[in-house]
Every structure is written in C-alpha cells, then in structure tokens.
Amino acid sequence: MAISLNEFDYLRELVLTHSAIAIESGKEYLAESRLAQLAYVEGQTSVNALLTNMRGKPFGTLHRKVLDAMTNNETWFFRDLHPFEMIKRKVLPELIVSRGTLRRLNIWSAASSSGQEAYSLAMMIEDEFPELRSWTVRILGTDISSAILNRARGGRYTQMEVNRGLPAPLLTRHFRREGLEWVIKDSIRSRVSFEAINLSNPWQAMATMDIIMLRNVLIYFEVPMKKQILARARNVLHPDGYLFLGSAESMMGLDDGFERVEYGKASCYRLRR
Ligand SMILES: C[S@@+](CC[C@H](N)C(=O)[O-])C[C@H]1O[C@@H](n2cnc3c(N)ncnc32)[C@H](O)[C@@H]1O
C-alpha cells in the first residue's frame, strides 16, 4: 500500500521536529525506499502501516529507528580530499605556530556519521605531524544518531568503506583485518571521542574549537535553522579558528560573521575581524 498523504505529513513533521531535516513534499518515494526494510523487520505489511502504527504513540525506540533510517549517513575517508590538503598544508601549520605556547588543539567533526572524517584527521595528524604527539589534541565526533555513533566508536569498516578514499598505505598502517572487516587500531581510535549532539537543539557547553568540520549536514536544514547553527558555530569557534562546510555548501546569505579563505582547490571560513 502506498504512503497516504496523512502518513507522509506525519513523517515529515516527525523528522523536522526531532532532526530539523526538511523533507520536501512529493518525496514519498524516499520514505518508501528508506523505511521498507524497517517496516518488514517490525512485522508491518507496508511503510504506510508502520507510520499509522506509530502515530499517536509517545516518542520511543521505533520513532528513533525511523529517524535514523530517514537520515543520509553517507561519508567516506578523506572526503573531497582538497579540504584535507588545506588542513595539512595551511591550517595545522598555522595553528602549530599560534598555539605553540598552549600546545592544545580542539577539532570537531560535527555530524560525523560513522567516523571516517574524524579518523581521517587523526591519521593525518599521526602521520604528518609528529611534533603534535606531545600536545593535547582532542578530536570530537558528534552526530544526532546514537546508532551511527556506536558504529563510529567501534571503528569497524567494510571492504567497500575502506576502498572509498583511504590510501592503501594508511589502510595497512592504521587498520587490522578481522574477518571481512577492517578495524581501526587503538593508536588512532584513542585520539577520537564520539558524543551525541543534535545540532538543531541548543548546544551544551563545549571547548572552544580550533577546527570545525560542519560538512554535508546544513543542506538538510531550512534557512532559519542553518542560520541558527552557524551563529552557534561562531560562538564555539576560536577567534582564529577554521570552519569547513561541504564542497556543495556555501555561507552565502547565511552569516556575515564569517569570511571565506581559499587555499588551492579548497576553501574554509574564518571569523570576520
Ligand atoms: C551526509 S552525513 C555527513 C557526514 C560527514 N560530515 C561528511 O561530510 O562526510 C550527514 C550526517 O548528519 C547527521 N545529522 C542529521 N541531522 C542532524 C542533526 N540535527 N544534528 C546532528 N547531526 C545530524 C546524520 O545523522 C548524518 O550522519
């Protein structure tokens, strides 16, 4: 049975309220494809029946599973490459000079999904910046989904996932094989911690960040929510810190407090002085 307009509206409202993700009208096919497996596992005859069953019930595990299933978690190691080149060649060398007395760096992968972005940074720091071994370098990965955060904490990836973006020498150096999976070694895993943060809710107090990776998540939000999140990011970013958005995302019309900085084929944002 196809999803009725009522059930689809209920789903859109649920996702908007809890994740701030805006699903466009007419995208019932998206709900069908993302929720079909869950409906089957839950013993429902259709996605429509699953949604009917949830309506009117207090928010619980099933609602959380639906939110997780409706979220795009796509990510990969060293995604888009150029931002990582910019971090390696410009951002970290500059921070190493400016934080030379404090010897502390805070890096935040906001909307970290299954952890590839945070672990990419940890591997880069381990391999390219031996001088940082005596510093306190904290890499924090956060996401709205506790299921995806558990995956990130586990640091276990399929062959297909490590084939996406991870150079072979890094795979052999930083992962060990366990059956069909690749598990990130403790030397890298211990550099990263993961916590649940819903970007659309007020953020808990957090350390001032030197680098914020806020990539490929603002695209799912409506303009007022994008603006709110960027205003919060402005407050958390160190006055000379760096904010990265996704390669298809821009600050245009959203926040005048940031200015764009380019390096090679990459760009990021810094607080306007
Ligand atoms: C497409 S992935 C991007 C992952 C990574 N940043 C990257 O660029 O590869 C989007 C992530 O945003 C998370 N997300 C969606 N809504 C969120 C919210 N309101 N707060 C925090 N994370 C959210 C999803 O769970 C998902 O893991």
Side-chain angles (χ1 to χ4, degrees):
M1 183 188 180
I3 301 180
S4 72
L5 198 56
N6 271 353
E7 309 308 334
F8 186 57
D9 283 347
Y10 161 72
L11 176 68
R12 289 175 70 199
E13 187 60 33
L14 180 80
V15 174
L16 187 65
T17 307
H18 292 277
S19 311
I21 296 173
I23 304 174
E24 288 165 42
S25 58
K27 289 217 166 164
E28 282 89 342
Y29 66 89
L30 194 71
E32 282 288 359
S33 64
R34 295 250 170 101
L35 297 179
Q37 179 73 20
L38 181 62
Y40 176 75
V41 170
E42 293 294 323
Q44 300 292 334
T45 50
S46 65
V47 171
N48 199 66
L50 174 80
L51 294 170
T52 308
N53 192 262
M54 288 165 58
R55 285 180 74 164
K57 288 195 180 150
F59 188 89
T61 316
L62 186 55
H63 299 74
R64 175 58 57 205
K65 285 183 188 168
V66 166
L67 291 177
D68 281 352
M70 287 305 298
T71 308
N72 177 351
N73 295 124
E74 189 177 28
T75 187
W76 59 92
F77 289 102
F78 296 96
R79 182 173 189 167
D80 302 334
L81 202 57
H82 302 302
F84 290 92
E85 278 300 306
M86 182 172 187
I87 291 171
K88 182 163 96 180
R89 307 212 178 277
K90 176 179 168 65
V91 171
L92 281 173
E94 285 180 4
L95 285 171
I96 285 171
V97 173
S98 59
R99 303 288 186 277
T101 315
L102 212 58
R103 299 167 78 78
R104 185 184 307 142
L105 283 179
N106 284 310
I107 301 173
W108 181 22
S109 168
S112 61
S113 189
S114 35
Q116 285 91 327
E117 182 176 79
Y119 288 134
S120 298
L121 291 167
M123 286 185 275
M124 177 201 291
I125 287 172
E126 170 70 16
D127 292 344
E128 308 288 342
F129 297 93
E131 63 271 47
L132 289 179
R133 283 187 197 142
S134 58
W135 289 39
T136 306
V137 178
R138 188 169 178 238
I139 304 174
L140 173 68
T142 68
D143 202 280
I144 192 175
S145 160
S146 43
I148 206 77
L149 285 168
N150 281 337
R151 277 214 59 209
R153 286 186 193 104
R156 287 177 174 273
Y157 299 98
T158 62
Q159 185 70 52
M160 219 156 78
E161 286 170 323
V162 297
N163 283 350
R164 272 191 103 180
L166 188 65
L170 270 65
L171 178 63
T172 44
R173 190 153 57 242
H174 296 303
F175 290 75
R176 63 169 192 281
R177 197 164 191 152
E178 269 188 31
L180 292 176
E181 292 177 319
W182 292 90
V183 185
I184 200 145
K185 289 183 182 166
D186 282 344
S187 50
I188 299 298
R189 198 209 320 253
S190 61
R191 288 171 170 267
V192 184
S193 60
F194 291 96
E195 278 173 31
I197 291 184
N198 181 345
L199 294 171
S200 67
N201 287 342
W203 302 348
Q204 66 216 29
M206 57 167 68
T208 302
M209 294 293 164
D210 300 299
I211 303 175
I212 301 179
M213 309 295 277
L214 183 63
R215 302 196 308 151
N216 304 300
V217 64
L218 289 184
I219 33 168
Y220 301 110
F221 304 145
E222 289 174 329
V223 168
M225 181 53 69
K226 291 183 210 251
K227 288 184 174 175
Q228 269 186 44
I229 291 174
L230 287 169
R232 287 183 201 136
R234 235 187 306 119
N235 288 331
V236 167
L237 191 64
H238 191 283
D240 66 1
Y242 302 80
L243 170 78
F244 285 82
L245 299 182
S247 56
E249 295 166 319
S250 119
M251 193 71 81
M252 207 172 332
L254 294 178
D255 198 314
D256 289 339
F258 288 100
E259 62 186 359
R260 199 172 124 106
V261 181
E262 291 185 6
Y263 181 85
K265 291 182 177 165
S267 65
C268 71
Y269 294 89
R270 305 197 73 184
L271 294 178
R272 209 179 280 284
R273 285 161 200 266

